């Protein structure tokens, strides 16, 4: 097995044992990127020199016997939606092309403090809006298992770079499934933590009440390690919750006894691909073989999840993205707008309009329009307020289900990775890729995706586990149990 | 009240800048007049990924104001986004409070000792917290419109205090603002400096015109950014007349046209129509998902209430009651601020005469402070030092007219009363000496003695003048008394 295919845990062991250095690891990852990313397109920016410098510094410290952080020398890739001081943060949008924040996201600071080596910024759907990473203003990311297919989205780059062994760990963000769906489609393990578990400071907001940062990795063990590093209260984010961070990387290895696994009646309805259903049911049987009891539960409001999500997320997005107006930073039109400014609006409004028209992509515009409409006077009660009420019902569904079971298991997506271009002209079809994942964001609970099989074409199939709020330990331990009993997570695509 | 053919209905919206060190949602300084954009950070300029975190000090100050305004405090309050585009609004929305303000349903008593305005309660509809926007500066010389933006003010904490339309005259509007400003200053909530924009006023006004068919309301006009109390009074007076003229001309009543916005031209003393574009704004308010709601316990409100201290209205009453001064005098003192009142109270206690202390404060001390542009905190005489002079005046050691010279010297050289009196050659004249001097004067002026015996008491004035000439330290009142008394001996 080549160096790059190791898990982060294996890399750390090798570094500790002196089998290789962080510089060697980093070089290997950079070489992998160099060799394959031309086809995959996972990275928007590779930070080769900075990463090697950092790796050398950590190696030197380790040699001296100095203190080394939890990720001491392990390469990590970061979705380009997180602000990095002195490094362009584009959100895959023309609007922020060339935007260099003077501050780090809290998660970036925590990665630095843990001595991670940040190798690059990964591609995404523009401002994280999309399910296929085809909405990036700069490039499409391809699925390492089949380059004709999408890696999912919006954290498509973050999932693809792990699947393609370009980095053992990556940071994604999940607003409606943006970590779990691409993790499922790329055959890696991805976790959306409970809302408030990880600080959002420095994460460029898409929908503030739904966004959450989380880890992508080959294994639950690695995801546990990365979550342990990035989780915890942050005084810069008042929505980040002040409660202790469990030692996920330690507890992940403890199996769960007497586990009650829930299967959601509504998950196995029409539209679910037969291969996916079979793989998920097989995965549940693995749990049964490990002593778990399976119960059927119901989430009666799940049929409203996608509709609710596509009200709330665009409403928040329409407001969050208002700051990109061409005035303070980011893109401003080069066109002289005086000719097109009407008397009514003046040149200022014409400048806003042109700047936004030129720099934002169609999906972003679509959602801004949806949100603006839904929040406007006369529609607020019918859409936004109604959606908030349904959101509460969805949360109650979960509360009730979790009275009966410890975990909910189900599919991540209805089918395996779809072809590039297959859904781009059909926004509604694209929105349905979030069918099984959005509910966790609406309810604010944690969800984890892990590989549980492959279809006839060799495409990964994902299993989703969901747990009550702040039960990330339970998710990670359950995922690790499964990965101890199976080896789907060990497969790597032939590049 | 008046015999105008209409009633004036006025409601005020007052934006008050809270006296915090830092902004509402970040740590930037709120100091006035710093060079443009030097008091900004990624948070208050709305850079991508940044998040607001509430300044608890600002909330505490706002709570103080609301409790003092007799408002009900909401146990749970959230933040809303008010979405609109403007270059000085960095995020494209302002963080404010919409349907659940932290306080509402209060009142403020308006006060006017001169009796021009009736003593009454003006209702407070609501008081809510919000962040300020930045400032656009337009430079249109050389034919090219060039705008610059200063975001130093962006994110500064404001309390918006909205009154009920309870005021019935421009004078009442002014009295309301005066009392509000005094209250907020006493509370330490705001410095209420209008020149620096710490207190900004928008006024809503309309008329109820008396007609044979009853009272007819005219359309409501909001007069924006009237930035002095005098301007509020004049703008309201102008606007009332203008609305009456417009009503006579057009007959348009409330509901016929939407609420309009007018500006105030302080130079020409007129209100003028502003562009309509802001009227139809749809702010698309919704709860800000970046901020957690604030919970306020009953105990916390009680704690704030207990820490308010004496409010101006209570202080006026106490001065009247304890110091025996008039309502008018108490008002003058209280309006000067808590620090001056404290000085006054120390002086009154030390000299034992509240009335005398009040006179000296209002005449001599205030005049001196004004002339030398000092605050009471910068005044060089302690209450004890000044009280010593006042006691000597009461004891007849120095005549009031001479006491002014003593006071001037004390202020000028930071001397004690005794030092100043000695330097001015003021000594107490022994009573027997004074009696002898009066006898001599009477003996030398038989005509005056005769007048006095006839009951022409004013004739004693000439003797007082002569006595002062002989010795400037004589107490003129005592000389007069003695002369009247001793005239009988001749
Ligand atoms: Zn700031």
């Amino acid at each position: 097995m080549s160096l790059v295919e190791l898990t982060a845990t294996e890399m750390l062991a090798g570094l500790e044992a002196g089998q290789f250095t962080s510089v060697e690891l980093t070089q290997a990852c950079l070489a992998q990127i160099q060799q394959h990313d031309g086809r995959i397109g996972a990275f928007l920016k590779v930070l080769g020199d900075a990463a090697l410098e950092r790796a050398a510094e950590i190696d030197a410290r380790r040699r001296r016997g100095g203190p080394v952080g939890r990720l001491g020398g392990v390469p990590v890739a970061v979705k380009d939606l997180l602000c990095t001081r002195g490094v362009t943060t584009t959100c895959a949008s023309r609007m922020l092309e060339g935007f260099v924040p003077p501050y780090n996201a809290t998660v970036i600071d925590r990665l630095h403090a843990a001595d991670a080596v940040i190798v690059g910024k990964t591609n995404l759907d523009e401002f994280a809006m999309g399910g296929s990473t085809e909405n990036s203003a700069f490039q499409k990311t391809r699925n390492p298992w089949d380059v004709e297919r999408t890696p999912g989205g919006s954290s498509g780059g973050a999932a693809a770079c792990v699947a393609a062994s370009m980095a053992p760990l990556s940071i994604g963000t999940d607003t409606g499934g943006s970590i779990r769906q691409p993790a499922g489609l790329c055959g890696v393990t991805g976790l959306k933590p409970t809302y408030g578990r990880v600080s959002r400071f420095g994460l460029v907001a898409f929908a503030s009440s739904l966004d959450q940062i989380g880890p992508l990795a080959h294994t639950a063990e690695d995801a546990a390690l990365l979550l342990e590093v990035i989780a915890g209260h942050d005084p810069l984010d008042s929505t980040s919750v002040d409660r202790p961070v469990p030692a996920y990387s330690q507890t992940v290895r403890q199996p769960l006894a007497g586990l009650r696994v829930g299967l959601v009646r509504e998950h196995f309805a029409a539209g679910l691909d037969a291969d996916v259903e079979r793989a998920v049911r097989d995965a549940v049987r693995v749990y049964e073989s490990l002593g778990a009891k399976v119960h059927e539960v119901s989430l009666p409001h799940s049929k409203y999840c996608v509709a609710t999500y596509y009200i709330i997320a665009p409403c928040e997005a329409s407001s969050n993205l208002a700051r990109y107006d061409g005035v303070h930073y980011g893109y401003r039109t080069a066109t002289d707008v005086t000719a097109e400014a009407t008397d009514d609006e003046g040149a200022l409004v014409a400048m806003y309009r042109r700047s936004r028209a030129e720099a934002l992509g169609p999906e972003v515009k679509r959602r801004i329009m949806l949100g603006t409409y839904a929040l406007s006077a006369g529609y607020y009660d019918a859409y936004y307020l109604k959606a908030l009420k349904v959101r509460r019902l969805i949360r109650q569904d979960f509360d009730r289900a979790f009275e009966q079971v410890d975990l909910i298991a189900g599919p991540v997506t209805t089918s395996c990775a779809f072809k590039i271009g297959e859904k781009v002209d059909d926004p509604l079809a694209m929105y349905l890729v979030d069918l099984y994942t959005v509910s966790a964001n609406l309810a604010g609970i944690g969800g984890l995706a892990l590989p549980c099989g492959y279809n006839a074409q060799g495409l990964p199939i994902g299993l989703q586990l969901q747990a009550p709020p702040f039960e990330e330990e339970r998710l990670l331990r359950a995922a690790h149990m499964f990965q101890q009993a199976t080896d789907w997570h060990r497969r790597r695509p032939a590049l | 009240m008046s015999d105008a053919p209409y009633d004036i209905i006025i409601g005020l919206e007052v934006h008050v800048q809270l006296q915090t060190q830092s902004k509402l949602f970040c740590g930037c300084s709120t100091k006035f007049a710093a060079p443009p954009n030097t008091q900004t950070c990624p948070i208050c300029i709305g850079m991508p990924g940044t998040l607001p975190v509430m300044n608890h000090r600002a909330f505490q100050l706002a709570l103080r104001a609301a409790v003092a305004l007799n408002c009900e405090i909401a146990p749970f309050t959230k933040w809303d986004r008010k979405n609109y585009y403007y270059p000085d609004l960095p995020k494209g929305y302002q963080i404010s409070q919409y349907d659940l303000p932290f306080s509402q349903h209060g009142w403020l008593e308006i006060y006017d000792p001169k009796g021009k305005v009736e003593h009454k309660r003006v209702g407070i509809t609501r008081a809510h917290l919000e962040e300020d926007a930045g400032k656009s500066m337009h430079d249109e010389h050389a034919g090219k419109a060039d705008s610059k933006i200063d975001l130093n003010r962006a994110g500064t904490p404001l309390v918006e205090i909205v009154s009920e339309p309870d005021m019935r005259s421009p004078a009442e509007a002014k009295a309301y603002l005066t009392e509000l400003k005094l209250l907020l200053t006493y509370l330490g909530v705001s410095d209420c400096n209008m020149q620096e924009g710490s207190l900004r006023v928008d006024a809503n006004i309309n008329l109820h015109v008396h007609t044979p068919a009853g009272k007819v309301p005219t359309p409501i006009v909001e007069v924006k950014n009237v930035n002095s109390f005098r301007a509020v009074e004049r703008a309201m007076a102008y606007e009332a007349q203008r609305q009456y003229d417009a009503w006579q001309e057009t007959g348009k009543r409330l509901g016929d046209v939407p609420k309009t916005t007018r500006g105030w031209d302080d130079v020409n003393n007129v209100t003028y129509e502003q562009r309509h574009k802001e009227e139809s704004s749809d702010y698309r308010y919704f709860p800000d998902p970046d901020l957690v709601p604030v919970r306020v316990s009953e105990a916390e409100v009680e704690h704030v209430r207990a820490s308010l201290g004496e409010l101006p209205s209570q202080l006026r009453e106490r001065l009247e009651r304890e110091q025996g001064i008039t309502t008018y005098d108490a008002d003058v003192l209280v309006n000067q601020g808590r620090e001056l009142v404290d000085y006054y109270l120390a002086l009154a206690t030390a000299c034992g005469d509240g009335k005398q202390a009040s006179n000296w404060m209002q005449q001599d001390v205030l005049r001196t402070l004004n002339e030398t542009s000092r605050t009471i905190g910068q005044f060089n005489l302690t209450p004890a030092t000044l009280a010593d002079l006042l006691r000597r005046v009461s004891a007849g050691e120095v005549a009031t007219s001479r006491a002014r010279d003593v006071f001037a010297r004390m202020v000028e050289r930071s001397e004690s009363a005794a030092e100043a009196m000695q330097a001015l050659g003021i000594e107490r004249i022994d009573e027997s000496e004074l009696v002898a001097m009066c006898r001599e004067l009477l003996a030398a002026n038989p005509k005056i003695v005769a007048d006095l015996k006839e009951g022409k008491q004013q004739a004693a004035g000439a003797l007082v003048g002569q006595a002062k000439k002989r010795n400037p330290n004589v107490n003129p009142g005592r000389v007069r008394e003695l002369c009247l008394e001793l005239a009988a001996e001749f």
Side-chain angles (χ1 to χ4, degrees):
Chain A
M1 203 182 219
S2 100
L3 213 50
V4 292
E5 289 178 7
L6 299 176
T7 67
T9 307
E10 290 161 351
M11 287 180 182
L12 275 171
L15 287 164
E16 290 294 332
Q19 289 164 359
F20 44 80
T21 64
S22 174
V23 168
E24 285 163 356
L25 260 185
T26 306
Q27 276 167 342
C29 286
L30 292 172
Q32 183 81 353
I33 295 168
Q34 170 95 49
Q35 198 182 339
H36 299 292
D37 204 41
R39 272 185 313 134
I40 303 298
F43 284 89
L44 286 176
K45 189 176 187 74
V46 179
L47 301 166
D49 293 344
L52 287 170
E53 207 175 295
R54 181 97 180 110
E57 192 265 309
I58 295 163
D59 282 338
R61 203 165 356 118
R62 183 174 265 130
R63 265 197 306 276
R64 283 200 310 272
V68 176
R70 301 300 313 272
L71 292 175
V74 175
V76 179
V78 178
K79 188 177 185 177
D80 201 25
L81 193 63
L82 272 78
C83 290
T84 39
R85 189 191 301 127
V87 175
T88 49
T89 300
T90 68
C91 305
S93 179
R94 294 268 168 231
M95 187 51 93
L96 289 176
E97 192 174 9
F99 171 64
V100 180
Y103 47 90
N104 271 334
T106 297
V107 163
I108 299 291
D109 279 338
R110 292 190 174 174
L111 288 174
H112 280 310
D115 288 328
V117 173
I118 296 178
V119 291
K121 307 286 295 278
T122 60
N123 195 25
L124 64 150
D125 287 298
E126 183 176 5
F127 284 108
M129 297 179 193
S132 65
T133 318
E134 291 169 280
N135 293 329
S136 166
F138 305 118
Q139 67 198 36
K140 288 179 174 48
T141 300
R142 293 165 181 272
N143 193 314
W145 294 92
D146 175 355
V147 292
E148 298 303 312
R149 294 175 187 269
T150 85
S154 66
S155 305
C161 80
V162 173
S165 302
M166 295 168 180
L169 299 173
S170 78
I171 298 286
T173 71
D174 190 314
T175 306
S178 292
I179 288 174
R180 291 158 291 157
Q181 183 254 13
L185 299 188
C186 290
V188 300
T189 302
L191 170 66
K192 181 207 95 78
T194 305
Y195 186 77
R197 181 71 285 187
V198 179
S199 166
R200 290 183 298 114
F201 185 85
L203 160 64
V204 178
F206 158 18
S208 311
S209 77
L210 301 161
D211 297 340
Q212 189 62 192
I213 299 172
L216 290 112
H218 290 296
T219 64
E221 210 175 14
D222 283 4
L225 177 66
L226 188 49
L227 179 64
E228 191 173 315
V229 165
I230 63 172
H233 178 62
D234 176 10
L236 293 176
D237 174 3
S238 76
T239 66
S240 81
V241 175
D242 192 1
R243 50 194 286 167
V245 177
Y248 300 117
S249 63
Q250 305 305 307
T251 57
V252 67
R253 295 190 195 97
Q254 301 162 8
L256 293 155
L259 192 66
R260 297 171 301 164
V261 174
L263 283 183
V264 178
R265 190 180 308 142
E266 291 82 2
H267 280 174
F268 299 91
L272 181 60
D273 179 273
D275 285 340
V276 174
E277 176 163 0
R278 180 184 37 77
V280 168
R281 291 201 187 273
D282 285 349
V284 172
R285 271 191 282 280
V286 170
Y287 278 108
E288 282 181 305
S289 75
L290 296 170
K293 290 270 172 298
V294 176
H295 303 265
E296 190 180 70
V297 292
S298 173
L299 299 172
H301 295 92
S302 54
K303 56 177 175 285
Y304 302 117
C305 284
V306 172
T308 304
Y309 176 81
Y310 278 96
I311 298 293
I312 291 174
C315 283
E316 295 185 13
S318 71
S319 174
N320 283 332
L321 270 63
R323 69 192 65 194
Y324 309 113
D325 58 5
V327 175
H328 302 96
Y329 39 71
Y331 182 91
R332 179 185 297 178
T333 182
T335 312
D336 182 357
V337 294
T338 37
E340 65 192 59
T342 64
D343 283 350
D344 241 22
E345 58 177 29
L348 181 65
V349 175
M351 191 276 279
Y352 289 150
R353 193 183 43 205
R354 243 202 189 273
S355 298
R356 287 167 73 81
E358 290 170 6
L360 297 175
E363 184 57 30
V364 172
K365 285 176 187 158
R366 184 151 44 231
R367 297 201 196 191
I368 289 173
M369 293 303 292
L370 275 172
T372 304
Y373 180 83
L375 283 179
S376 55
Y379 300 101
Y380 180 90
D381 288 3
Y383 295 106
Y384 181 76
L385 213 56
K386 182 67 72 60
L388 285 191
K389 287 176 185 162
V390 179
R391 185 176 184 175
R392 248 194 314 276
L393 296 174
I394 290 164
R395 171 67 186 258
Q396 284 169 11
D397 280 356
F398 276 107
D399 289 345
R400 257 178 232 127
F402 285 127
E403 284 168 13
Q404 300 165 51
V405 296
D406 304 311
L407 280 177
I408 287 170
V412 180
T413 51
T414 51
S415 58
C416 294
F418 49 93
K419 288 252 171 69
I420 288 172
E422 191 182 321
K423 297 183 200 245
V424 274
D425 297 325
D426 188 352
L428 290 180
M430 190 71 94
Y431 293 173
L432 286 172
V433 303
D434 297 331
L435 184 64
Y436 298 125
T437 50
V438 282
S439 55
N441 301 78
L442 290 167
I445 65 171
L448 184 149
L450 72 165
C452 70
Y454 287 79
N455 75 358
Q457 293 116 301
L459 296 170
I461 297 171
L463 171 72
Q464 180 176 220
L465 303 176
Q466 291 170 308
F470 298 100
E471 294 295 349
E472 281 73 22
E473 264 191 299
R474 197 185 291 172
L475 287 175
L476 291 162
R477 289 168 68 186
H480 184 68
M481 275 168 77
F482 184 83
Q483 290 178 339
Q484 290 293 95
T486 60
D487 64 358
W488 305 113
H489 62 287
R490 296 204 184 279
R491 296 206 187 177
R492 300 288 184 270
L495 292 172
Chain B
M1 221 172 69
S2 79
D3 24 76
Y6 50 77
D7 302 330
I8 307 177
I9 314 294
I10 302 171
L12 297 177
E13 293 171 17
V14 181
H15 282 91
V16 180
Q17 180 180 329
L18 295 173
Q19 219 164 353
T20 53
Q21 300 295 309
S22 56
K23 295 185 179 180
L24 187 49
F25 298 113
C26 68
C28 289
S29 166
T30 52
K31 268 229 304 279
F32 183 73
N37 296 309
T38 53
Q39 291 176 170
T40 57
C41 71
I43 297 168
C44 57
I45 65 174
M47 288 189 101
T50 59
L51 295 171
V53 175
M54 187 189 75
N55 174 352
H56 279 272
R57 172 80 188 140
F59 193 81
Q60 281 298 316
L61 286 181
L63 209 52
R64 255 175 106 68
V67 170
L69 287 168
N70 308 291
C71 285
E72 291 168 16
I73 307 299
F76 168 95
T77 180
K78 66 179 173 71
W79 301 94
D80 300 287
R81 291 186 184 177
K82 180 180 182 179
N83 294 281
Y84 65 98
Y85 284 95
Y86 209 70
D88 62 18
L89 192 72
K91 298 187 289 290
Y93 57 83
Q94 178 192 28
I95 303 175
S96 182
Q97 298 194 294
Y98 181 52
D99 53 344
L100 290 174
F102 78 93
S103 70
Q104 50 191 334
H105 309 314
W107 47 266
L108 175 70
E109 205 151 57
I110 58 174
Y111 202 84
D112 177 20
K114 290 176 199 140
K116 274 195 260 168
V117 163
E118 267 180 80
H119 209 67
K120 73 181 217 183
R121 281 180 181 184
V122 173
I124 304 289
T125 315
R126 58 184 279 159
H128 70 254
L129 259 167
E130 62 187 32
E131 57 174 352
D132 207 346
K135 228 167 53 186
S136 301
M137 288 160 295
H138 304 290
D139 175 12
E140 281 163 29
H141 70 261
K144 218 177 164 199
D146 192 9
S147 295
K148 291 177 177 158
I149 299 161
D150 176 8
L151 295 177
N152 278 353
R153 216 177 58 185
T156 296
L158 301 177
V159 175
E160 181 175 346
I161 300 166
V162 182
S163 87
E164 293 286 313
D166 284 351
M167 285 152 276
R168 291 291 171 272
S169 68
E172 279 193 1
K174 189 182 169 203
Y176 169 83
L177 286 173
T178 307
E179 190 63 14
L180 184 64
K181 179 181 170 180
L182 189 65
L183 178 71
L184 296 174
T185 323
Y186 262 76
L187 293 168
V189 161
S190 172
D191 62 18
C192 294
N193 187 328
M194 292 187 89
Q195 285 76 47
E196 296 181 4
S198 300
L199 193 150
R200 286 171 258 163
V201 184
D202 299 335
N204 285 289
I205 175 169
N206 77 337
L207 308 177
H208 287 173
V209 181
H210 304 168
T211 72
K215 293 183 182 180
V216 176
T218 60
I220 296 174
V221 170
E222 182 172 4
V223 186
K224 285 271 190 199
N225 288 322
V226 203
N227 42 22
S228 76
F229 289 2
R230 213 166 73 90
V232 170
E233 206 174 6
R234 285 183 301 157
M236 293 299 92
Y238 174 85
E239 188 55 24
Q241 189 58 45
R242 191 198 63 79
Q243 287 189 22
Y244 184 63
D245 295 346
W247 182 81
Q248 285 190 309
E249 200 184 311
T250 66
K252 279 190 181 142
R253 48 164 74 203
L254 184 67
D256 290 348
V257 286
K259 176 170 145 177
T260 50
T261 301
R262 297 179 74 85
W264 170 245
D265 177 341
D266 208 36
V267 176
N268 298 308
N269 281 324
V270 293
T271 63
Y272 58 90
E273 197 171 352
Q274 290 187 324
R275 286 181 62 185
H276 288 290
K277 55 169 187 166
E278 297 299 326
E279 313 291 323
S280 56
S281 279
D282 176 358
Y283 291 119
R284 307 190 315 279
Y285 281 101
F286 78 106
D288 191 327
D290 286 334
L291 283 157
V292 285
V294 186
R295 278 163 220 283
V296 186
S297 68
E298 193 58 44
E300 215 172 323
V301 175
E302 278 320 307
H303 178 77
V304 170
R305 200 186 308 282
S307 74
L308 287 183
E310 211 166 12
L311 302 181
S313 52
Q314 297 165 322
L315 197 50
R316 283 191 199 99
E317 263 173 47
R318 180 156 73 94
L319 294 189
E320 280 183 61
R321 194 176 63 241
E322 291 179 3
Q323 302 300 332
I325 60 176
T326 64
T327 309
Y328 180 83
D329 288 346
D331 187 57
V332 171
L333 292 173
V334 169
N335 283 355
Q336 297 298 322
R338 180 76 218 197
E339 213 179 355
L340 186 125
V341 172
D342 286 339
Y343 186 102
Y344 162 73
L345 285 169
L347 180 65
T349 310
C351 80
D353 184 345
K355 181 89 188 113
Q356 186 197 22
S358 164
N359 289 341
W360 276 82
M361 288 303 295
Q362 289 184 54
Q363 288 158 33
D364 306 274
V365 177
L366 279 180
R367 195 193 56 239
T368 304
L369 294 181
N370 274 339
E371 283 169 3
T372 55
S373 313
R374 274 186 285 184
T375 65
I376 190 71
Q378 296 161 329
F379 190 47
N380 59 333
L381 301 187
T382 65
T385 309
L386 183 54
D388 185 33
L389 174 62
L390 268 53
R391 271 196 310 269
R392 288 166 190 264
V393 173
S394 311
E397 287 176 38
V398 50
T400 307
S401 55
R402 297 243 46 205
R404 298 241 135 78
D405 302 336
V406 177
F407 175 78
R409 194 178 163 96
M410 288 169 74
V411 172
E412 199 177 306
R413 309 197 177 202
S414 292
E415 285 178 353
S416 68
E419 287 164 344
M421 282 168 69
Q422 194 182 18
L424 291 170
I426 299 173
E427 288 162 30
R428 188 186 175 118
I429 300 166
D430 195 69
E431 179 79 359
S432 60
E433 213 176 298
L434 205 60
V435 170
M437 189 197 289
C438 288
R439 286 213 169 93
E440 272 174 50
L441 289 172
L442 288 165
N445 291 285
K447 172 81 176 76
I448 292 178
V449 172
D451 285 348
L452 290 176
K453 283 185 173 171
E454 275 175 42
K456 295 180 184 165
Q457 295 203 352
Q458 70 275 25
L463 296 179
V464 174
Q466 288 184 38
K468 275 166 88 177
K469 236 176 245 167
R470 286 188 179 199
N471 186 339
N473 296 325
V474 298
N475 182 336
R478 186 64 190 140
V479 170
R480 181 181 196 84
E481 278 170 28
L482 283 171
C483 288
L484 292 175
E485 204 180 301
L486 297 171
E489 296 176 9
F490 292 84

